């Protein structure tokens, strides 16, 4: 599970919110147009234009908009025909949906620890947990920084297991010059209000293996072959497979298209905010043994979030409280899935020390497209005013970078 930020319960006592979605272009005009066209259900022109935009940009053969990344993940579990007892490998440091989508089909989640620098799946640990029951590995590109996809894909090929990228946070980030979400046979995107590009609630399934396209369309359309009917390929549509209602309204797609069209603007704004945080906090972080995000040289990230990892859980909590007193909302992130009630039941005896430490020491700073320079300066100034370091014992060699991979 995660924290405080996923819902919009952002309390009024904050002057600077953690997230504050904004309009960036023609959202209101497109939404009105979608309604006035008389086609506000799914698969209208805005749905098709969003899908086309993403297909063109990513170079993927098919993108299917969904009502959320959660739904797109559920579609991947159906497409891979996950059966009870199948095992899926995933980080414990992720959102609950990465696991739940597969658990819904009866799969057993196998939680793997993360690297201390990027907080992405530690590929060195994967081989030891692969068994004959392993069906899929689900790398999560944390903060939109790419996992080591070359190593993950070659391991998966060797063991005949599927790769599904949970790319909820990494739209248009790249690993070795290739877009995230184009390595696995399937990948998922989120357009939730906390993401770089949003329509409130939304997501997409990116289909990179064309063998999944037709069934993907059927599963998204309640198990019917309605997409073939809409293309005039059959003269009536009927129930042909499992499925559910994963198709978003064209009103949401209209909102999304307006945001996608302004992606370059969004990216430039977020890049500026991210770089300012990084440059302004570098010296402070070194002085106080605080870890800043690490972006490997072969990754171009999506500028999705800015986090700091404090030297201890007590200091993390104290910093959140300090910022709150300054009217600034900073939030922690995922609580390790292997320690959750469900995690303990489904995967007892799991050990992920790097995840536990990251989860207890990490906090995310306010980050949204129109965070102003003066607001960001206020956040930076408040952080540097935090002066209770000596009230807390700092563990020797604090910081995650000192931990074994
Ligand atoms: C890694 C990851 N996967 C999946 C999701 C679920 O996304 P959605 O809210 O679009 O269902 C999230 C949500 O933040 C996430 O962080």
């Amino acid at each position: 599970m995660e924290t405080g930020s996923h819902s919009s319960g952002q309390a009024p006592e904050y002057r600077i919110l953690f997230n504050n979605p904004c309009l960036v272009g023609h959202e209101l005009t497109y939404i009105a147009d979608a309604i006035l066209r008389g086609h506000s259900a799914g698969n209208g022109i805005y749905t098709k234009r969003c899908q086309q935009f993403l297909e063109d940009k990513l170079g993927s053969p098919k993108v299917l908009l969904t009502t959320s990344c959660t739904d797109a993940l559920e579609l991947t579990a159906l497409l891979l025909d996950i059966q009870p007892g199948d095992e899926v490998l995933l980080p414990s440091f992720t959102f609950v949906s990465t696991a739940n989508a597969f658990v819904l089909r009866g799969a057993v989640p196998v939680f793997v620890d993360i690297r201390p620098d990027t907080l992405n799946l530690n590929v060195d640990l994967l081989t030891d947990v692969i068994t004959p029951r392993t069906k899929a590995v689900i790398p999560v590109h944390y903060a939109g920084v790419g996992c080591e996809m070359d190593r993950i894909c070659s391991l998966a090929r060797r063991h005949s297991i599927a790769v599904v990228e949970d790319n909820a946070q990494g739209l248009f980030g790249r690993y070795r010059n290739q877009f995230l979400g184009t390595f696995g046979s399937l990948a998922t995107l989120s357009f939730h209000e906390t993401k770089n590009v949003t329509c409130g609630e939304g997501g997409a399934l990116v289909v990179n293996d064309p063998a999944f396209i037709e069934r993907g369309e059927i599963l998204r359309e309640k198990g019917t072959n309605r997409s073939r009917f809409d293309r005039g390929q059959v003269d009536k549509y009927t129930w042909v497979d499992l499925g559910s209602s994963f198709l978003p309204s064209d009103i949401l797609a209209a909102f999304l298209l307006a945001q996608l069209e302004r992606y370059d603007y969004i990216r430039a704004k977020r890049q500026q905010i991210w770089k300012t945080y990084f440059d302004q906090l570098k010296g402070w972080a070194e002085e106080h043994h605080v870890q800043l995000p690490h972006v490997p040289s072969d990754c171009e990230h999506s500028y999705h979030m800015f986090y700091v990892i404090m030297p201890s859980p007590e200091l993390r909590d104290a910093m959140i409280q300090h910022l709150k007193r300054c009217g600034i909302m900073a939030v922690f992130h995922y609580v390790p899935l292997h320690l959750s009630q469900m995690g303990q039941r489904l995967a007892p005896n799991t050990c992920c020390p790097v995840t536990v430490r990251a989860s207890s020491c990490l906090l995310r700073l306010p980050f949204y497209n129109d965070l102003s320079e003066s607001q960001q300066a206020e956040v930076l100034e408040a952080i540097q005013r935090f002066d209770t370091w000596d009230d807390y014992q700092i563990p020797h060699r604090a910081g995650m970078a000192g931990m074994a991979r």
Side-chain angles (χ1 to χ4, degrees):
M1 286 289 295
E2 73 156 354
T3 104
S5 69
H6 197 65
S7 74
S8 343
Q10 305 195 89
E13 70 256 38
Y14 294 105
R15 276 179 304 101
I16 302 180
L17 297 175
F18 168 68
N19 181 50
N20 195 15
C22 63
L23 299 173
V24 291
H26 298 302
E27 287 91 341
L28 301 180
T29 316
Y30 288 180
I31 288 170
D33 183 55
I35 296 166
L36 294 172
R37 275 171 186 276
H39 185 121
S40 52
N43 246 344
I45 70 152
Y46 286 103
T47 306
K48 288 177 179 144
R49 285 171 68 187
C50 287
Q51 293 179 170
Q52 191 67 54
F53 181 100
L54 290 164
E55 286 161 16
D56 291 347
K57 179 100 179 165
L58 296 172
S60 293
K62 192 76 202 165
V63 172
L64 296 170
L65 285 198
T66 56
T67 33
S68 63
C69 183
T70 300
D71 280 348
L73 284 161
E74 287 178 25
L75 272 171
T76 71
L78 285 163
L79 280 169
L80 294 176
D81 207 15
I82 296 291
Q83 296 295 316
D86 287 345
E87 293 170 5
V88 295
L89 315 181
L90 72 159
S92 171
F93 192 61
T94 184
F95 192 68
V96 63
S97 302
T98 321
N100 232 351
F102 296 89
V103 172
L104 272 169
R105 314 304 314 153
V108 178
V110 176
F111 297 113
V112 180
D113 211 356
I114 49 174
R115 289 167 47 139
D117 54 358
T118 57
L119 313 187
N120 279 336
L121 210 52
N122 185 339
V123 185
D124 292 343
L125 303 176
L126 280 180
T127 312
D128 283 351
V129 290
I130 293 175
T131 74
R133 303 227 62 158
T134 308
K135 263 297 194 69
V137 56
I138 327 293
V140 175
H141 304 300
Y142 186 68
V145 176
C147 295
E148 297 159 273
M149 291 314 297
D150 50 355
R151 293 181 67 202
I152 292 172
C153 290
S154 77
L155 194 72
R157 256 192 315 274
R158 262 202 318 282
H159 293 274
S160 302
I161 59 184
V163 177
V164 174
E165 295 172 76
D166 180 340
N167 195 26
Q169 303 173 6
L171 180 65
F172 303 141
R174 294 176 201 242
Y175 171 75
R176 301 204 163 160
N177 234 2
Q178 185 179 331
F179 283 120
L180 303 180
T182 62
F183 292 87
S185 46
L186 298 163
T188 61
L189 299 171
S190 174
F191 303 116
H192 181 264
E193 71 166 17
T194 49
K195 302 304 184 291
N196 298 17
V197 169
T198 181
C199 59
E201 297 275 2
L205 174 71
V206 180
V207 185
N208 296 313
D209 179 347
F212 289 122
I213 294 177
E214 186 169 353
R215 187 156 184 252
E217 288 180 335
I218 290 169
L219 299 178
R220 184 180 64 156
E221 270 280 19
K222 299 122 184 142
T224 71
N225 56 353
R226 180 170 182 150
S227 295
R228 297 199 77 201
F229 171 75
D230 288 344
R231 287 193 292 265
Q233 293 165 327
V234 287
D235 56 11
K236 54 182 176 305
Y237 71 92
T238 184
W239 182 21
V240 293
D241 201 337
L242 294 178
S244 191
S245 185
F246 293 125
L247 182 62
S249 154
D250 223 41
I251 299 172
L252 286 176
F255 184 169
L256 182 63
L257 182 69
Q259 295 251 322
L260 286 170
E261 285 176 345
R262 294 281 283 154
Y263 182 73
D264 289 342
Y265 163 82
I266 292 173
R267 182 188 165 83
K269 292 285 260 186
R270 298 183 78 96
Q271 184 176 33
Q272 175 63 41
I273 294 166
W274 195 96
K275 288 194 159 156
T276 302
Y277 272 138
F278 192 84
D279 294 343
Q280 300 288 317
L281 289 176
K282 218 157 53 183
W284 168 86
E286 269 166 30
E287 184 187 344
H288 295 293
H289 308 283
V290 173
Q291 183 182 328
L292 298 187
H294 171 69
V295 182
S297 57
D298 49 10
C299 291
E300 208 180 294
H301 66 117
S302 62
Y303 301 101
H304 173 58
M305 75 167 83
F306 197 92
Y307 63 81
V308 301
I309 300 177
M310 297 293 282
S312 72
E314 294 76 20
L315 278 164
R316 190 274 303 269
D317 294 347
M319 178 63 96
I320 290 178
Q321 288 311 312
H322 164 73
L323 292 174
K324 185 174 180 184
R325 282 192 297 275
C326 300
I328 295 165
M329 186 177 192
V331 293
F332 55 96
H333 207 180
Y334 307 128
V335 175
L337 289 182
H338 73 287
L339 298 181
S340 66
Q341 251 181 60
M342 278 291 276
Q344 295 271 295
R345 218 170 80 207
L346 296 167
N349 310 317
T350 302
C351 183
C352 297
V354 183
T355 298
V356 172
R357 181 161 161 67
S359 167
S360 62
C361 296
L362 183 146
L363 72 122
R364 294 175 292 160
L365 301 180
F367 200 122
Y368 44 88
N369 299 340
D370 63 356
L371 183 72
S372 70
E373 275 179 35
S374 63
Q375 285 174 316
Q376 190 174 20
E378 211 182 306
V379 176
L380 286 162
E381 204 252 321
I383 290 173
Q384 310 208 16
R385 253 191 293 127
F386 180 71
D387 63 357
T388 47
W389 298 98
D390 296 339
D391 297 354
Y392 301 92
Q393 208 151 27
I394 300 180
H396 188 58
R397 273 177 68 77
M400 304 270 297
M403 294 185 71
R405 285 265 304 268

